[in-house]
Amino acid sequence: MRRWRVFTLTWLSYATYYFARKNFPVAKRTIQTELGISTAGLAAIDTGYLATYAIGQFAGGWLGDRIGSRRLIGYGMILSALLIAAFGASSTASLFALFFGLNGFVQATGWPGNVKAMAAWYGPTERGAVMGFWSTCFQVGPLVATALAAWLLAHFGWRTAFFGPAVWVALVGLLVLLFLQEGPHTTVETKPARIDVKAAAREALRNPIVWLLGASYFGMKL
């Protein structure tokens, strides 16, 4: 029962993360028309988000090992909700770039946090099959998030495409904080271990599987 609760909460959580990232692609043309923001300005907002999201992946994994997946996901979602609400209340390219860039960094708590939570409850012999079903969250999430943002935009204006999803993201984040349990295999570091970062990086870069997986995922994003 506990494992299915974790499965459901983490599936819902990662699907919901998309509600705080798919609204800008839907609303950007309307924002450009109404506020007169240039195409270059819109591109800068997108680029800033992607850059901070990439950087945040490193920080998210490190932080998750220290505070646990429940707090990483829960607080990450609530912060993301606040940032997209702030985005929806803004009217200048500089503020859009600031809030969406910060949102990218916070959004990066989703993948390491949820994968850590799932790994703590499911062992290596069953993890492949379970994660196959779990991974449907990042197909369903973008689909529903995009449809909702488009509907809100069409009926209530572009700002509601941010305010409405922000409420949902915050609610799911609160559910995670209240009900997600750390698994029996979870380890949370109270005192960070001393690690030779350069040696670890060299070892990872020499591993051909790392390069193969990186190249395959890069190809998926083209």
Side-chain angles (χ1 to χ4, degrees), residues 7 11 14 111 128-140:
F7 184 101
W11 190 98
Y14 200 72
W111 183 255
V130 171
M131 291 303 290
F133 287 102
W134 185 88
S135 296
T136 57
C137 64
F138 55 82
Q139 279 81 45
V140 176

Side-chain angles (χ1 to χ4, degrees), residues 136-186:
T136 57
C137 64
F138 55 82
Q139 279 81 45
V140 176
L143 180 66
V144 178
T146 300
L148 176 63
W151 185 83
L152 290 171
L153 171 66
H155 290 83
F156 304 104
W158 70 266
R159 294 187 190 276
T160 60
F162 293 87
F163 295 148
V167 174
W168 173 244
V169 174
L171 176 61
V172 174
L174 183 60
L175 289 175
V176 169
L177 285 173
L178 291 175
F179 299 111
L180 183 64
Q181 292 179 288
E182 302 288 356
H185 306 298
T186 298

Side-chain angles (χ1 to χ4, degrees), residues 2 8 24 41 50 70 79 81 90-91 93 105 117 121 127 131 134 176 193 199 203:
R2 289 181 180 179
T8 302
F24 179 62
L50 293 172
R70 180 181 65 85
L79 283 173
S90 302
S91 299
F105 189 83
W121 283 96
R127 202 171 290 161
M131 291 303 290
W134 185 88
V176 169
E203 183 178 354

Side-chain angles (χ1 to χ4, degrees), residues 48-61:
Y49 172 88
L50 293 172
T52 55
Y53 184 76
I55 295 169
Q57 294 292 331
F58 297 97

